[in-house]
Amino acid sequence: MNWPRVITGSILLVLSIAVPWWVALSVAFVAAFYFSRYVEFIVVAFIIDALYGAGTAAGLGFPYMITTAAALLFVIVETLKQYLIFYNRR
Amino acid sequence: MSYRQKNRNTSRAKIAALIALSVLAVVFGMHKLSPGRLDSVVQTVMKPFLSLRTASSRELASSATLLRSKRSLAEENARLKAELAETKARLALEEALQRENVTLRGLLGRAPRELNTIAGAVLSKPGFSPYDTIVVDAGQSDGVVKDKLVRAYEDVAIGYVASVYDTTSIVVLYTSPGVTRDVVIGETGIQATITGMGGGNFQLKLPRDSGVRENDTITITGENPVVVGKIQKIMSTDADSFETIFAASPVNIHTLEYVFLEI
Protein backbone atom coordinates (compact mmCIF):
# COMPACT_ATOMS: atom_id res chain seq x y z
CA MET A 1 0.00 0.00 0.00
CA ASN A 2 1.25 3.45 -0.93
CA TRP A 3 1.07 5.06 2.51
CA PRO A 4 2.21 8.55 1.47
CA ARG A 5 -0.60 8.62 -1.07
CA VAL A 6 -3.19 7.39 1.45
CA ILE A 7 -2.07 9.95 4.03
CA THR A 8 -2.09 12.78 1.46
CA GLY A 9 -5.58 11.78 0.36
CA SER A 10 -6.80 11.81 3.96
CA ILE A 11 -5.26 15.23 4.54
CA LEU A 12 -6.95 16.55 1.40
CA LEU A 13 -10.30 15.21 2.60
CA VAL A 14 -9.91 17.18 5.82
CA LEU A 15 -8.70 20.27 3.97
CA SER A 16 -11.75 20.23 1.67
CA ILE A 17 -13.88 21.11 4.72
CA ALA A 18 -11.46 22.88 7.01
CA VAL A 19 -9.98 25.51 4.68
CA PRO A 20 -11.24 27.65 1.78
CA TRP A 21 -11.75 25.71 -1.45
CA TRP A 22 -8.79 27.25 -3.29
CA VAL A 23 -6.34 26.13 -0.57
CA ALA A 24 -7.51 22.50 -0.74
CA LEU A 25 -7.41 22.50 -4.55
CA SER A 26 -3.95 24.11 -4.63
CA VAL A 27 -2.57 21.39 -2.34
CA ALA A 28 -4.26 18.72 -4.49
CA PHE A 29 -2.78 20.29 -7.64
CA VAL A 30 0.73 20.12 -6.18
CA ALA A 31 0.14 16.51 -5.09
CA ALA A 32 -0.94 15.70 -8.68
CA PHE A 33 2.59 16.54 -9.79
CA TYR A 34 4.15 14.36 -7.11
CA PHE A 35 2.01 11.26 -7.45
CA SER A 36 1.28 9.32 -10.60
CA ARG A 37 -2.26 9.59 -11.99
CA TYR A 38 -3.55 11.41 -8.92
CA VAL A 39 -7.30 10.92 -9.37
CA GLU A 40 -7.84 12.15 -5.83
CA PHE A 41 -7.45 15.67 -7.30
CA ILE A 42 -10.71 15.25 -9.25
CA VAL A 43 -12.39 13.60 -6.26
CA VAL A 44 -11.56 16.56 -3.98
CA ALA A 45 -12.89 18.96 -6.62
CA PHE A 46 -16.10 16.92 -6.80
CA ILE A 47 -16.49 17.01 -3.00
CA ILE A 48 -16.12 20.80 -3.08
CA ASP A 49 -18.73 21.04 -5.85
CA ALA A 50 -21.14 18.74 -4.05
CA LEU A 51 -20.72 20.63 -0.76
CA TYR A 52 -20.98 24.17 -2.06
CA GLY A 53 -22.16 24.09 -5.68
CA ALA A 54 -25.89 24.36 -6.19
CA GLY A 55 -26.43 22.38 -9.36
CA THR A 56 -27.14 24.68 -12.24
CA ALA A 57 -28.00 27.67 -10.06
CA ALA A 58 -24.44 28.37 -9.01
CA GLY A 59 -21.46 28.09 -11.35
CA LEU A 60 -23.29 30.28 -13.88
CA GLY A 61 -25.59 27.51 -15.10
CA PHE A 62 -22.93 24.83 -15.51
CA PRO A 63 -23.02 22.06 -12.90
CA TYR A 64 -19.81 20.66 -11.43
CA MET A 65 -17.67 23.44 -12.88
CA ILE A 66 -14.78 22.89 -10.47
CA THR A 67 -14.86 19.12 -11.09
CA THR A 68 -14.63 19.63 -14.84
CA ALA A 69 -11.79 22.13 -14.46
CA ALA A 70 -9.95 19.69 -12.17
CA ALA A 71 -10.38 16.86 -14.71
CA LEU A 72 -8.93 19.08 -17.41
CA LEU A 73 -5.99 20.09 -15.20
CA PHE A 74 -5.42 16.43 -14.34
CA VAL A 75 -4.98 15.59 -18.03
CA ILE A 76 -2.73 18.64 -18.55
CA VAL A 77 -0.53 17.69 -15.57
CA GLU A 78 -0.16 14.10 -16.77
CA THR A 79 0.68 15.31 -20.29
CA LEU A 80 3.15 17.89 -18.93
CA LYS A 81 5.00 15.20 -17.01
CA GLN A 82 6.28 13.71 -20.29
CA TYR A 83 8.16 16.95 -20.98
CA LEU A 84 9.73 17.16 -17.57
CA ILE A 85 13.09 15.41 -17.28
CA PHE A 86 12.39 14.70 -13.60
CA TYR A 87 9.60 12.29 -14.53
CA ASN A 88 11.31 10.76 -17.57
CA ARG A 89 14.23 9.70 -15.43
CA ARG A 90 11.97 7.61 -13.13
CA MET B 1 12.03 -5.32 -24.77
CA SER B 2 12.42 -1.54 -24.86
CA TYR B 3 9.73 0.82 -26.01
CA ARG B 4 10.07 4.16 -27.75
CA GLN B 5 9.90 6.99 -25.25
CA LYS B 6 7.37 8.87 -27.38
CA ASN B 7 4.86 5.97 -27.40
CA ARG B 8 5.11 5.51 -23.64
CA ASN B 9 4.46 9.17 -22.94
CA THR B 10 1.61 9.41 -25.49
CA SER B 11 -0.13 6.48 -23.85
CA ARG B 12 0.33 8.18 -20.46
CA ALA B 13 -1.64 11.22 -21.66
CA LYS B 14 -4.28 8.95 -23.22
CA ILE B 15 -4.71 6.97 -20.00
CA ALA B 16 -5.03 10.22 -18.05
CA ALA B 17 -7.67 11.49 -20.48
CA LEU B 18 -9.52 8.18 -20.21
CA ILE B 19 -9.50 8.31 -16.40
CA ALA B 20 -10.69 11.94 -16.40
CA LEU B 21 -13.48 11.21 -18.89
CA SER B 22 -14.58 8.15 -16.89
CA VAL B 23 -14.86 10.16 -13.69
CA LEU B 24 -16.77 12.95 -15.45
CA ALA B 25 -19.05 10.39 -17.12
CA VAL B 26 -19.93 8.91 -13.72
CA VAL B 27 -20.54 12.34 -12.17
CA PHE B 28 -22.64 13.76 -15.00
CA GLY B 29 -24.36 10.44 -15.62
CA MET B 30 -25.49 10.24 -11.99
CA HIS B 31 -26.52 13.92 -12.15
CA LYS B 32 -28.67 13.21 -15.22
CA LEU B 33 -30.20 9.97 -13.94
CA SER B 34 -30.73 11.00 -10.35
CA PRO B 35 -30.13 14.74 -9.85
CA GLY B 36 -28.68 15.60 -6.48
CA ARG B 37 -28.26 12.00 -5.32
CA LEU B 38 -24.44 12.10 -5.19
CA ASP B 39 -24.52 15.61 -3.69
CA SER B 40 -26.95 14.39 -1.04
CA VAL B 41 -24.58 11.58 -0.02
CA VAL B 42 -21.67 14.02 0.26
CA GLN B 43 -23.80 16.48 2.26
CA THR B 44 -24.93 13.75 4.67
CA VAL B 45 -21.40 12.47 5.20
CA MET B 46 -19.81 15.92 5.56
CA LYS B 47 -22.46 17.64 7.69
CA PRO B 48 -21.04 16.52 11.09
CA PHE B 49 -17.58 17.75 10.07
CA LEU B 50 -19.00 21.09 8.88
CA SER B 51 -20.76 21.50 12.24
CA LEU B 52 -17.51 20.64 14.03
CA ARG B 53 -15.62 23.21 11.97
CA THR B 54 -18.21 25.91 12.71
CA ALA B 55 -18.12 25.15 16.44
CA SER B 56 -14.30 25.14 16.46
CA SER B 57 -14.00 28.50 14.71
CA ARG B 58 -16.51 30.01 17.13
CA GLU B 59 -14.45 28.75 20.10
CA LEU B 60 -11.26 30.02 18.50
CA ALA B 61 -12.79 33.47 17.93
CA SER B 62 -13.94 33.76 21.55
CA SER B 63 -10.53 32.56 22.80
CA ALA B 64 -8.80 35.25 20.73
CA THR B 65 -10.33 37.94 22.98
CA LEU B 66 -8.14 36.63 25.83
CA LEU B 67 -5.12 37.95 23.97
CA ARG B 68 -6.44 41.49 23.69
CA SER B 69 -5.49 44.22 26.13
CA LYS B 70 -7.91 45.38 28.82
CA ARG B 71 -7.87 48.89 27.39
CA SER B 72 -8.86 47.84 23.86
CA LEU B 73 -11.64 45.67 25.26
CA ALA B 74 -12.94 48.56 27.38
CA GLU B 75 -12.87 50.91 24.35
CA GLU B 76 -14.73 48.40 22.21
CA ASN B 77 -17.25 47.85 25.01
CA ALA B 78 -17.99 51.59 25.20
CA ARG B 79 -18.31 51.85 21.41
CA LEU B 80 -20.69 48.89 21.24
CA LYS B 81 -22.83 50.29 24.08
CA ALA B 82 -23.21 53.57 22.18
CA GLU B 83 -24.10 51.71 18.98
CA LEU B 84 -26.64 49.61 20.88
CA ALA B 85 -28.33 52.69 22.36
CA GLU B 86 -28.60 54.26 18.89
CA THR B 87 -29.92 51.03 17.38
CA LYS B 88 -32.52 50.66 20.14
CA ALA B 89 -33.78 54.18 19.46
CA ARG B 90 -34.07 53.45 15.73
CA LEU B 91 -35.75 50.12 16.46
CA ALA B 92 -38.41 51.83 18.59
CA LEU B 93 -39.23 54.17 15.69
CA GLU B 94 -39.31 51.30 13.19
CA GLU B 95 -41.61 49.26 15.43
CA ALA B 96 -44.00 52.22 15.66
CA LEU B 97 -43.94 52.65 11.88
CA GLN B 98 -44.50 48.93 11.38
CA ARG B 99 -47.54 48.95 13.68
CA GLU B 100 -48.94 51.92 11.76
CA ASN B 101 -48.28 50.11 8.47
CA VAL B 102 -50.11 46.99 9.63
CA THR B 103 -53.07 49.09 10.82
CA LEU B 104 -53.31 51.00 7.54
CA ARG B 105 -53.03 47.80 5.49
CA GLY B 106 -55.71 46.24 7.66
CA LEU B 107 -57.99 49.20 6.88
CA LEU B 108 -57.37 48.61 3.18
CA GLY B 109 -58.15 44.92 3.58
CA ARG B 110 -54.51 43.88 2.95
CA ALA B 111 -53.27 42.62 6.31
CA PRO B 112 -49.79 40.99 5.97
CA ARG B 113 -49.72 37.21 5.82
CA GLU B 114 -48.29 35.38 8.80
CA LEU B 115 -44.76 34.33 7.91
CA ASN B 116 -43.65 30.74 8.53
CA THR B 117 -39.91 30.52 8.89
CA ILE B 118 -37.45 28.09 10.33
CA ALA B 119 -34.07 29.04 11.74
CA GLY B 120 -31.01 27.30 10.38
CA ALA B 121 -27.41 27.50 11.54
CA VAL B 122 -24.91 28.58 8.91
CA LEU B 123 -22.47 25.69 8.48
CA SER B 124 -20.36 27.24 5.77
CA LYS B 125 -19.85 30.86 4.76
CA PRO B 126 -19.09 32.28 1.28
CA GLY B 127 -15.31 32.39 1.83
CA PHE B 128 -15.11 28.59 1.77
CA SER B 129 -17.30 28.21 -1.31
CA PRO B 130 -16.21 28.92 -4.91
CA TYR B 131 -19.81 29.90 -5.73
CA ASP B 132 -20.59 32.50 -3.02
CA THR B 133 -23.13 30.14 -1.41
CA ILE B 134 -23.83 29.22 2.18
CA VAL B 135 -24.70 25.82 3.61
CA VAL B 136 -27.46 25.77 6.23
CA ASP B 137 -28.26 22.92 8.61
CA ALA B 138 -31.98 22.76 7.77
CA GLY B 139 -33.23 20.56 4.96
CA GLN B 140 -36.16 18.60 3.56
CA SER B 141 -36.83 16.91 6.89
CA ASP B 142 -37.36 20.37 8.44
CA GLY B 143 -39.80 21.51 5.73
CA VAL B 144 -37.37 23.57 3.66
CA VAL B 145 -38.50 24.04 0.05
CA LYS B 146 -36.47 24.96 -3.00
CA ASP B 147 -36.56 28.58 -4.31
CA LYS B 148 -37.97 30.02 -1.07
CA LEU B 149 -36.60 33.24 0.34
CA VAL B 150 -33.89 33.20 3.00
CA ARG B 151 -33.65 36.03 5.53
CA ALA B 152 -31.12 37.30 8.04
CA TYR B 153 -32.50 38.87 11.24
CA GLU B 154 -36.02 38.23 9.80
CA ASP B 155 -36.15 41.56 7.95
CA VAL B 156 -33.35 41.34 5.42
CA ALA B 157 -33.43 39.01 2.42
CA ILE B 158 -30.05 37.56 1.59
CA GLY B 159 -30.85 34.88 -0.99
CA TYR B 160 -32.93 31.87 -1.94
CA VAL B 161 -32.75 28.12 -1.40
CA ALA B 162 -31.10 26.62 -4.48
CA SER B 163 -30.69 22.99 -3.38
CA VAL B 164 -32.40 21.04 -0.62
CA TYR B 165 -31.02 17.83 0.85
CA ASP B 166 -32.27 15.73 3.71
CA THR B 167 -30.75 17.73 6.57
CA THR B 168 -28.94 20.57 4.79
CA SER B 169 -29.65 23.20 2.15
CA ILE B 170 -27.53 25.33 -0.11
CA VAL B 171 -28.48 29.00 -0.27
CA VAL B 172 -27.44 31.13 -3.23
CA LEU B 173 -26.96 34.73 -2.17
CA TYR B 174 -28.42 37.64 -4.13
CA THR B 175 -24.91 39.09 -4.05
CA SER B 176 -23.46 36.02 -5.79
CA PRO B 177 -21.91 36.95 -9.14
CA GLY B 178 -24.45 36.82 -11.97
CA VAL B 179 -27.54 36.33 -9.78
CA THR B 180 -30.35 38.74 -10.65
CA ARG B 181 -33.47 39.81 -8.77
CA ASP B 182 -36.32 42.26 -9.46
CA VAL B 183 -36.55 44.91 -6.78
CA VAL B 184 -38.05 48.31 -5.94
CA ILE B 185 -35.87 51.30 -5.04
CA GLY B 186 -36.58 53.54 -2.05
CA GLU B 187 -39.27 56.21 -2.00
CA THR B 188 -39.27 56.59 -5.77
CA GLY B 189 -40.76 53.11 -6.13
CA ILE B 190 -38.73 52.56 -9.30
CA GLN B 191 -38.58 48.93 -10.39
CA ALA B 192 -35.17 47.66 -11.30
CA THR B 193 -33.09 44.49 -11.53
CA ILE B 194 -30.06 44.05 -9.31
CA THR B 195 -27.14 41.88 -10.37
CA GLY B 196 -24.86 40.30 -7.79
CA MET B 197 -21.17 41.16 -7.92
CA GLY B 198 -19.90 39.02 -5.09
CA GLY B 199 -18.57 40.07 -1.71
CA GLY B 200 -21.94 41.36 -0.47
CA ASN B 201 -22.37 43.86 -3.33
CA PHE B 202 -24.89 44.46 -6.12
CA GLN B 203 -24.98 46.57 -9.21
CA LEU B 204 -27.84 48.03 -11.22
CA LYS B 205 -28.31 50.47 -14.04
CA LEU B 206 -31.02 53.10 -14.28
CA PRO B 207 -31.63 56.04 -16.63
CA ARG B 208 -29.84 59.19 -15.55
CA ASP B 209 -31.67 61.50 -13.16
CA SER B 210 -33.93 58.65 -12.09
CA GLY B 211 -34.29 60.27 -8.69
CA VAL B 212 -32.60 57.58 -6.62
CA ARG B 213 -30.17 58.73 -3.94
CA GLU B 214 -27.40 57.24 -1.86
CA ASN B 215 -28.70 55.35 1.21
CA ASP B 216 -32.03 54.56 -0.49
CA THR B 217 -33.24 51.11 0.50
CA ILE B 218 -33.77 48.35 -2.03
CA THR B 219 -36.70 46.07 -1.28
CA ILE B 220 -38.41 42.99 -2.63
CA THR B 221 -42.13 43.72 -2.74
CA GLY B 222 -44.87 41.30 -1.89
CA GLU B 223 -47.22 40.54 0.96
CA ASN B 224 -44.27 40.89 3.31
CA PRO B 225 -41.82 43.40 1.79
CA VAL B 226 -38.27 42.79 2.79
CA VAL B 227 -35.09 44.80 2.49
CA VAL B 228 -32.37 43.46 0.21
CA GLY B 229 -29.79 46.23 0.19
CA LYS B 230 -28.88 49.88 0.40
CA ILE B 231 -27.48 52.15 -2.31
CA GLN B 232 -23.85 53.04 -1.61
CA LYS B 233 -22.73 54.99 -4.66
CA ILE B 234 -24.17 56.37 -7.90
CA MET B 235 -21.83 56.89 -10.82
CA SER B 236 -22.40 58.44 -14.21
CA THR B 237 -20.62 60.63 -16.72
CA ASP B 238 -22.03 63.37 -18.92
CA ALA B 239 -21.79 61.09 -21.95
CA ASP B 240 -23.82 58.26 -20.33
CA SER B 241 -27.56 58.10 -20.58
CA PHE B 242 -27.55 55.54 -17.77
CA GLU B 243 -26.14 55.73 -14.28
CA THR B 244 -24.41 52.80 -12.62
CA ILE B 245 -25.57 52.26 -9.08
CA PHE B 246 -23.59 50.25 -6.57
CA ALA B 247 -25.40 48.81 -3.59
CA ALA B 248 -24.55 46.50 -0.73
CA SER B 249 -26.38 44.12 1.52
CA PRO B 250 -26.92 45.61 5.00
CA VAL B 251 -25.89 42.27 6.48
CA ASN B 252 -22.32 41.08 6.86
CA ILE B 253 -22.68 37.53 5.60
CA HIS B 254 -19.32 36.52 7.05
CA THR B 255 -20.52 37.12 10.62
CA LEU B 256 -23.93 35.46 10.22
CA GLU B 257 -24.53 32.48 12.48
CA TYR B 258 -28.23 31.89 11.83
CA VAL B 259 -30.58 32.53 8.96
CA PHE B 260 -34.35 32.16 8.58
CA LEU B 261 -35.74 30.04 5.76
CA GLU B 262 -39.35 30.46 4.65
CA ILE B 263 -41.29 27.20 4.66
Side-chain angles (χ1 to χ4, degrees):
Chain A
M1 189 171 260
N2 191 344
W3 285 109
R5 190 160 175 158
V6 169
I7 291 168
T8 311
S10 308
I11 291 171
L12 276 174
L13 206 61
V14 172
L15 285 180
S16 65
I17 318 163
V19 299
W21 65 279
W22 54 272
V23 175
L25 277 186
S26 301
V27 172
F29 184 64
V30 169
F33 275 98
Y34 185 77
F35 296 106
S36 174
R37 292 184 205 127
Y38 198 61
V39 188
E40 289 89 322
F41 179 33
I42 308 174
V43 173
V44 165
F46 169 72
I47 290 172
I48 288 169
D49 263 337
L51 266 180
Y52 307 120
T56 54
L60 304 171
F62 183 81
Y64 302 111
M65 206 171 66
I66 302 289
T67 309
T68 309
L72 198 64
L73 276 173
F74 170 78
V75 174
I76 290 171
V77 164
E78 288 300 311
T79 310
L80 263 179
K81 281 179 182 177
Q82 69 182 324
Y83 297 106
L84 294 171
I85 298 172
F86 178 78
Y87 294 100
N88 285 331
R89 275 191 188 154
R90 280 174 153 188
Chain B
M1 191 181 287
S2 64
Y3 291 92
R4 281 181 62 193
Q5 192 80 345
K6 182 170 176 280
N7 283 344
R8 190 166 72 96
N9 289 331
T10 307
S11 68
R12 186 178 196 161
K14 279 182 185 168
I15 291 169
L18 197 64
I19 293 170
L21 280 170
S22 307
V23 173
L24 287 178
V26 168
V27 168
F28 283 97
M30 286 293 290
H31 180 71
K32 194 81 181 172
L33 290 170
S34 183
R37 176 61 67 96
L38 274 179
D39 295 1
S40 181
V41 169
V42 172
Q43 289 277 336
T44 307
V45 168
M46 293 302 194
K47 188 194 168 188
F49 301 105
L50 283 176
S51 305
L52 180 65
R53 183 192 73 188
T54 308
S56 307
S57 13
R58 217 174 279 151
E59 279 303 313
L60 221 68
S62 62
S63 306
T65 56
L66 294 171
L67 299 171
R68 294 177 64 184
S69 69
K70 236 181 184 174
R71 187 176 171 178
S72 72
L73 282 171
E75 281 173 4
E76 193 183 8
N77 194 12
R79 183 181 62 78
L80 287 171
K81 275 183 180 167
E83 259 183 53
L84 184 61
E86 188 188 341
T87 307
K88 273 184 177 171
R90 276 203 210 139
L91 189 62
L93 174 64
E94 278 185 24
E95 280 174 355
L97 287 171
Q98 196 156 354
R99 279 194 298 270
E100 188 184 4
N101 183 274
V102 170
T103 308
L104 289 169
R105 288 173 81 174
L107 287 171
L108 288 168
R110 294 296 307 272
R113 180 173 57 93
E114 190 69 33
L115 208 59
N116 288 327
T117 56
I118 182 173
V122 176
L123 295 177
S124 176
K125 293 177 188 156
F128 286 85
S129 161
Y131 303 112
D132 217 12
T133 55
I134 60 174
V135 181
V136 178
D137 79 341
Q140 214 165 22
S141 56
D142 304 296
V144 178
V145 176
K146 199 177 165 182
D147 294 332
K148 287 282 188 176
L149 204 67
V150 177
R151 299 159 180 255
Y153 313 125
E154 293 201 357
D155 293 331
V156 179
I158 56 167
Y160 64 95
V161 178
S163 297
V164 185
Y165 304 105
D166 195 41
T167 54
T168 55
S169 305
I170 295 179
V171 174
V172 169
L173 304 172
Y174 288 131
T175 55
S176 300
V179 174
T180 58
R181 175 77 212 203
D182 293 332
V183 295
V184 167
I185 315 279
E187 292 171 2
T188 56
I190 294 177
Q191 291 187 339
T193 303
I194 52 168
T195 305
M197 290 171 64
N201 299 306
F202 314 99
Q203 186 181 310
L204 59 149
K205 282 187 185 289
L206 287 175
R208 270 183 71 186
D209 303 323
S210 55
V212 298
R213 294 170 298 180
E214 287 182 9
N215 292 319
D216 274 354
T217 50
I218 302 171
T219 52
I220 296 173
T221 55
E223 285 188 48
N224 294 304
V226 65
V227 171
V228 173
K230 227 174 181 184
I231 293 178
Q232 303 292 307
K233 198 161 180 66
I234 302 169
M235 287 177 66
S236 69
T237 61
D238 291 336
D240 287 335
S241 52
F242 285 89
E243 53 192 11
T244 304
I245 299 165
F246 297 97
S249 174
V251 169
N252 185 352
I253 300 291
H254 300 282
T255 60
L256 266 184
E257 291 189 357
Y258 290 93
V259 293
F260 296 90
L261 302 98
E262 288 185 4
I263 53 171

